[in-house]
Amino acid sequence: MSTVDEVVQRAAEVLNDPNHDRWTYSNMVEWVNQGISAICNLYPPAHIEKLDLPLVAGAVQSLDASYNLFIRGLYNKIGGVTQGKTPVFGDLESVTLINPSWMSATPADEIDEVMYDPKTPHTFFVYPPQPAATTNTLYAEVATNPGLKV
């Protein structure tokens, strides 16, 4: 895989500007970063990170604005301790069709199912809902912009 520096140097050669007389090095680095950011916005799974997502009380959970898309939940962390159960990835419409009142179910620490609605990329849902004052997290994959530097 090429580094940003290698891409900039190759572009300078193609543009017949190896000393960066016409286009500064910093401009070219910025353009590469903008291009990568555009790719990640058009195709969010282009860059995926695994991280702990803090959960809040209830079924509706939100991603930080720095993330592009929720991909999937991998496992629960209750009180900082990894739980062995992997939540099932469910379809929001199907779950709601089967059980219209699932969002008001009795809260529990361990997540059985994670749902995502493609119309709201910064929101995902957990079943059962999380209890009040939870400190639980969901280890998950999310799409991000890589924020490359030289």
Side-chain angles (χ1 to χ4, degrees):
M1 173 156 309
S2 298
T3 65
V4 172
D5 181 63
E6 290 168 343
V7 170
V8 167
Q9 296 303 346
R10 178 70 182 121
E13 289 174 21
V14 170
L15 293 169
N16 199 19
D17 188 23
N19 297 322
H20 304 285
D21 296 323
R22 291 186 195 107
W23 297 280
T24 67
Y25 183 84
S26 61
N27 281 133
M28 293 181 79
V29 168
E30 181 61 28
W31 295 334
V32 169
N33 284 329
Q34 288 175 357
I36 291 169
S37 180
I39 289 168
C40 290
N41 285 329
L42 291 170
Y43 182 69
H47 188 261
I48 293 175
E49 289 184 23
K50 294 178 182 170
L51 48 93
D52 287 321
L53 296 175
L55 301 172
V56 297
V60 181
Q61 306 294 320
S62 297
L63 286 180
D64 184 274
S66 63
Y67 306 128
N68 296 338
L69 178 69
F70 179 84
I71 303 293
R72 66 180 173 151
L74 299 171
Y75 54 81
N76 297 286
K77 281 181 134 178
I78 300 170
V81 178
T82 301
Q83 303 298 308
K85 185 176 187 178
T86 299
V88 174
F89 191 74
D91 176 63
L92 183 61
E93 291 180 17
S94 298
V95 171
T96 303
L97 185 63
I98 293 167
N99 181 4
S101 61
W102 68 270
M103 289 182 92
S104 59
T106 303
D109 283 323
E110 191 166 29
I111 299 168
D112 294 329
E113 196 160 4
V114 177
M115 292 145 284
Y116 163 74
D117 181 0
K119 293 177 276 227
T120 56
H122 286 91
T123 303
F124 64 99
F125 305 87
V126 296
Y127 176 81
Q130 287 293 287
T134 186
T135 59
N136 299 334
T137 60
L138 176 65
Y139 188 71
E141 289 180 340
V142 296
T144 66
N145 285 337
L148 299 175
K149 304 288 184 241
V150 177

